[in-house]
């Protein structure tokens, strides 16, 4: 799994975790949570209490419950002056950390000086029942409280106590003993959660015309344009070419919105009265809830909207209604897929409208097992620490594991499932340090990221690997740890899955009415902002820095390192053609006479029997594919430092990659980088100029720019036409092939006559200034 030249620390490693898949056990967990290791917990569900005695002078009590197991202690919130409180809270104690044999549940009365004991209940851990889903939840029972001497006292507590696993329904919302240092206010920020991205729509606003405008300055023709706004998105039409009171535009503006629609579409018709001064001639607001929805390319009806204008009268805003109106066609586009991530590693390609969705073709199951070797991400009480959690994103579904507090080798062992609608998609995992618990920095720091393309996975096979977590820093690439995952793709219909390969990658509206590259880039940026803002409002929030890292919000920014990586990717693709060219050159120069003779024989056979050419080509490709099957990749791809040119990057190039936009560096550094870009641009300019020169020489063959060269070429074409007309094609092909493959004894080192003629043809480079 280590690639040539790659650091072994950055390589993918196959692992053998003790997961339930394939285990011959009678445990029900192996049927449901079979991609993770079993983790056993003691669960204590504190439901409510009744008839608690008063301990204060006033005869009231402020009760709370304390659950103690050895050195671990969890507490519920307390209620003011309530003898029948309800808590409905669950506590989970990891079995592997239990060092006691008695569970103690204590009800106390909160006091200013010292809390009073109301009563307690003791449990022997050996007597606690075991419960594994899909068993029904254990029914809570009433327990009579006892004092310190074991005597029954007034008051009862409703409890449920059982031994379970992470497959239990109570696991997600439980207080965990391994997060005992996190106070009650921070518990919400460490729980595992499932999030759904908002449903995104493209809004197309076709601004057609306006009528009966009343200009600000009636002495000149108005220069009118329309400004459209949804939230913080603002777009403008061009200034109308018809300088009248009835201007026309017929221009499309595109926005991204999310359900539920919170902001209306606001349109303002504005007149440019001066270079830096615009006057609003009227405006209207359109609620998006009432806008038509379009599923295909068929046009929808347009509407006239009245424009309103406000003026100030005695310091108050007064609304003037007048006859001006605007002609619009507004609709929500349901036939597009709203891109919120790069198309190169998109996790969802379906259109917005659910009516256009095709049935799922499979299931993706992921077990997020553990991480190890994590780097300290922050300092707490003078020592380095990491509070790690993992985020996975596929389609509209995001998952977040619970935070394991103060551990460089966290064990999550959480399993999640996604429906798969297209195998040519990518699931993204990210590891982060939680900065929103006591002692945190207030920002979640990235630990690393992993992407897995589903089309590289074999169906029904479980992949268990440890993936390196790599992060770029201004000082270079750093390995911040490894994350262990178990992945399984299950195919529900092989026919539907194979049929997907014949379908367009994006919904058909992207091809019938394509959006420009600049439009898509702008809309993708707006979609990212909307998704990050909505997920940041969830509880616990998925922070903006987490969402932006998962969606690669800065992937379009300039990077010398990425440019080099892409250049060498192109060279790697072309290397196959170069290798074929070198091989053919060796054949032509008789480096291996036996091989050259065999090629001659094959060539003569194909010329005499041309119907064998295509079958021979496809049979050869088939044999290559069958031969390569033995060495097919057996492991999913991962972040490749050598491919990314991350292992030998220049410090200044790294500093440029981490620079802000616009730049924050000194003028001397900016000037140096600008000169470097000019140097690179000069080389690119030379290559582009050479390509243009060759193309212009081809066009000069028949353009008579060089009359003598064109005369020679035209006469050659006439002679070639006569010769080819009277000579059988097979003879021409045979003679041409034998001439190309002739022995070096009959070759000359000077260029051929056709090449000499071509190089002498004129190009337009001599007309450049």
């Amino acid at each position: 799994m280590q690639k040539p030249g790659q650091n072994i620390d950055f390589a993918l490693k196959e692992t053998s975790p003790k997961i339930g898949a394939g285990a011959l056990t009678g445990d029900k967990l192996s049927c449901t949570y079979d991609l993770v290791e079993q983790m056993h917990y003691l669960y204590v569900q504190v439901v409510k209490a009744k008839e608690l005695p008063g301990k204060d002078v006033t005869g009231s009590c402020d009760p709370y419950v304390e659950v103690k197991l050895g050195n671990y202690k969890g507490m519920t919130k307390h209620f003011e002056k309530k003898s029948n409180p309800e808590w409905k809270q669950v506590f989970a104690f990891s079995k592997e950390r239990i060092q006691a044999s008695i569970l103690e549940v204590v009800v106390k009365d909160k006091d200013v000086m010292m809390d009073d004991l109301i009563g307690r209940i003791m449990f022997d851990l050996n007597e606690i029942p075991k419960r594994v889903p899909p068993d029904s939840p254990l029914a809570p029972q009433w327990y009579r409280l006892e004092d310190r001497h074991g005597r029954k006292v007034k008051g009862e507590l409703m409890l449920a106590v059982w031994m379970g696993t992470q497959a239990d329904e109570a696991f997600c919302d439980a207080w965990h003993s391994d997060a005992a240092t996190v106070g009650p206010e921070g518990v919400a920020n460490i729980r595992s959660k499932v999030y759904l991205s908002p449903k995104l729509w493209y809004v197309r606003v076709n601004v057609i015309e306006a009528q009966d405008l009343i200009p600000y300055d009636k002495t000149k023709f108005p220069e009118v344009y329309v400004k459209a706004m949804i939230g913080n998105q603002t777009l403008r039409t061009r200034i109308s070419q018809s300088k009248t009171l009835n201007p026309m535009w017929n221009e499309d503006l595109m926005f991204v919105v999310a359900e539920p629609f919170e902001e209306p579409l606001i349109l303002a018709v504005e007149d440019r009265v001066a270079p830096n001064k615009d006057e609003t001639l009227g405006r209207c607001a359109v609620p998006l809830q009432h806008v038509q929805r379009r599923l295909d390319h068929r046009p929808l009806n347009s509407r006239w909207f009245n424009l309103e204008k406000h003026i100030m009268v005695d310091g108050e805003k007064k609304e003037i209604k007048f006859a001006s109106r605007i002609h619009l066609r507004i609709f929500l586009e349901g036939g597009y897929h709203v891109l919120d991530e790069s198309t190169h590693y998109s996790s969802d390609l379906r259109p917005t409208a659910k009516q256009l969705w095709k049935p799922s073709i499979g299931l993706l199951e992921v077990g997020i097992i553990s991480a190890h070797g994590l780097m300290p991400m922050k300092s707490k009480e003078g020592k380095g620490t990491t509070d790690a959690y993992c985020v996975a994103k596929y389609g509209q579904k995001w998952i977040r594991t619970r935070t394991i507090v103060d551990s460089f080798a966290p064990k999550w062992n959480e399993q999640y499932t996604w429906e798969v609608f297209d195998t040519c998609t990518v699931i993204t995992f990210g590891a982060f340090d939680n900065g929103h618990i006591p002692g945190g920095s207030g920002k979640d720091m990235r630990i690393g990221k992993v992407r897995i393309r589903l089309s590289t996975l074999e169906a029904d096979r479980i992949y268990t690997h440890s993936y390196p977590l790599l992060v770029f820093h201004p000082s270079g690439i750093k390995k911040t740890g490894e994350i262990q995952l178990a992945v399984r793709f299950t195919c529900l219909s092989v026919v539907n899955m194979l049929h997907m390969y014949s379908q367009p990658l994006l919904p058909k509206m992207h091809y019938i009415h394509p959006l420009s590259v600049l439009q898509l880039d702008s809309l993708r940026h707006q979609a990212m902002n909307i998704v990050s803002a909505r997920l940041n409002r969830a509880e616990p929030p998925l922070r903006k820095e987490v969402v932006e890292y998962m969606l690669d919000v800065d992937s379009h920014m300039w990077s010398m390192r990425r440019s080099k990586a892409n250049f060498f990717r192109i060279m790697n693709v072309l290397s196959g053609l170069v290798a074929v060219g070198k091989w053919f050159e060796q054949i032509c120069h008789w480096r291996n006479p036996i091989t050259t003779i065999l090629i001659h024989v094959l060539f003569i056979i194909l010329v005499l029997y041309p119907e064998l050419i295509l079958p021979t080509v496809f049979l050869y490709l088939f044999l290559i594919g069958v031969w390569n099957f033995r060495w097919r990749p057996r492991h999913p791809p991962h972040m490749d430092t050598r491919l990314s040119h991350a292992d030998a990057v220049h410090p200044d190039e790294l500093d440029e990659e981490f620079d802000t936009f616009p730049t924050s560096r000194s003028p001397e550094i900016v000037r140096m980088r600008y000169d470097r870009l000019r140097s690179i641009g000069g080389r690119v300019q030379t290559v582009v100029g050479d390509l243009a020169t060759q193309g212009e020489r081809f066009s000069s063959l028949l353009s008579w720019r060089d009359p003598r060269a064109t005369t020679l070429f035209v006469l050659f074409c006439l002679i070639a036409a006569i010769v080819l007309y009277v000579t059988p094609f097979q003879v021409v092909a045979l003679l041409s092939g034998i001439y190309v493959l002739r022995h070096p004894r009959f070759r000359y080192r000077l260029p051929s006559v056709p090449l000499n003629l071509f190089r002498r043809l004129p190009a337009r480079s001599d007309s450049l200034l």
Side-chain angles (χ1 to χ4, degrees), residues 560-576 641-648 653 683:
M560 180 69 77
R561 176 188 60 83
R562 285 198 195 113
S563 301
K564 285 182 179 178
N566 289 330
F567 173 76
F568 283 103
R569 284 173 61 202
I570 293 173
M571 296 305 297
N572 190 45
V573 170
L574 297 177
S575 63
T641 54
R642 191 166 184 79
L643 179 69
S644 307
H645 275 250
D647 45 2
E653 294 175 5
R683 295 178 209 162

Side-chain angles (χ1 to χ4, degrees), residues 202-208 228 230 251-253 255 257 264-267 284-294 299-305 326-333:
Y202 284 146
V203 180
R204 189 185 294 270
V205 182
N206 179 218
V207 183
I208 303 172
I230 300 179
E251 191 172 335
D252 280 355
L253 305 175
F255 297 90
V257 293
L265 167 66
I266 298 174
L267 296 115
C284 67
V286 182
L288 295 176
Q289 293 88 339
H290 309 306
V291 169
Q292 302 177 81
R293 302 186 179 195
R294 185 172 80 161
L300 299 179
N301 295 329
S302 57
R303 282 184 57 194
W304 286 95
F305 293 85
I326 187 169
H327 192 193
L328 303 170
R329 186 180 286 111
I330 308 172
F331 45 87
L332 295 164
E333 292 277 20

Side-chain angles (χ1 to χ4, degrees), residues 309-313 316-320:
K309 189 175 181 181
H310 301 282
I311 61 170
M312 299 298 292
V313 178
E316 293 185 3
K317 198 180 268 189
K318 293 282 179 96
E319 187 177 291
I320 300 177

Side-chain angles (χ1 to χ4, degrees), residues 365-627:
E365 297 167 277
V366 173
I368 303 174
I369 300 174
S370 62
H372 60 272
L374 297 185
M375 302 274 289
M377 301 302 294
K378 56 178 176 277
S379 178
K380 191 184 295 183
E381 297 177 358
K383 67 169 187 173
T385 182
T386 298
D387 305 320
Y389 68 92
C390 184
V391 175
K393 195 259 184 201
Y394 184 76
Q396 291 184 318
K397 180 179 175 182
W398 300 64
I399 65 93
R400 167 181 171 153
T401 67
R402 70 192 189 284
T403 300
I404 306 298
V405 178
D406 193 16
S407 175
F408 298 130
K411 291 184 178 179
W412 295 291
N413 284 303
E414 298 182 24
Q415 184 168 334
Y416 299 93
T417 304
W418 285 268
E419 279 190 299
V420 177
F421 295 87
D422 195 330
T423 55
C424 299
T425 47
V426 174
I427 182 170
T428 304
F429 301 88
F432 301 89
D433 174 66
N434 196 330
H436 292 84
I437 56 179
S441 62
K443 184 177 181 181
D444 292 356
M445 303 296 293
R446 57 184 70 168
I447 299 176
K449 181 162 56 179
V450 173
R451 296 193 198 100
I452 300 176
R453 183 170 290 276
L454 270 59
S455 60
T456 63
L457 303 179
E458 297 177 14
D460 301 316
R461 178 187 165 191
I462 297 175
Y463 293 83
T464 52
H465 291 89
S466 183
Y467 296 81
L469 294 171
L470 307 175
V471 174
F472 251 115
H473 291 278
S475 57
I477 188 75
K478 283 188 179 179
K479 180 181 175 181
T480 53
E482 294 185 9
I483 185 170
Q484 190 175 11
L485 303 173
V487 181
R488 176 173 59 205
F489 168 63
T490 305
C491 179
L492 301 179
S493 171
V494 177
V495 174
N496 287 344
M497 181 176 67
L498 296 178
H499 176 67
M500 287 299 300
Y501 282 87
S502 67
Q503 300 300 303
L505 191 64
L506 293 169
K508 64 180 183 180
M509 282 295 289
H510 286 269
Y511 306 98
I512 297 173
H513 283 296
L515 303 173
S516 69
V517 175
L518 289 176
Q519 258 187 320
L520 283 173
D521 193 50
S522 173
L523 293 170
R524 175 175 171 253
H525 181 70
Q526 295 296 342
M528 283 180 176
N529 288 338
I530 291 172
V531 170
S532 63
R534 288 288 179 92
L535 294 179
N536 196 37
R537 286 160 49 184
E539 188 60 42
L542 203 57
R543 307 288 174 179
K544 182 180 180 183
E545 60 268 21
V546 173
V547 176
E548 289 183 348
Y549 181 57
M550 296 290 288
L551 295 179
D552 277 305
V553 71
D554 57 350
S555 62
H556 65 287
M557 299 297 288
W558 161 257
S559 164
M560 180 69 77
R561 176 188 60 83
R562 285 198 195 113
S563 301
K564 285 182 179 178
N566 289 330
F567 173 76
F568 283 103
R569 284 173 61 202
I570 293 173
M571 296 305 297
N572 190 45
V573 170
L574 297 177
S575 63
L577 296 175
V578 173
V580 171
K582 289 181 178 179
W583 173 80
F584 187 71
E585 183 183 6
Q586 291 176 356
I587 296 297
C588 293
H589 287 82
W590 291 68
R591 299 283 168 81
N592 189 334
I594 297 176
T595 306
T596 303
I597 291 171
L598 290 175
I599 293 296
H600 274 80
V601 172
L602 178 62
F603 174 70
I604 292 171
I605 292 172
L606 293 178
V607 169
L608 295 178
Y609 303 97
E611 64 273 11
L612 295 179
I613 294 176
L614 288 178
T616 302
V617 171
F618 286 109
L619 179 62
Y620 181 65
L621 294 175
F622 168 77
L623 292 175
I624 292 176
V626 172
W627 179 261

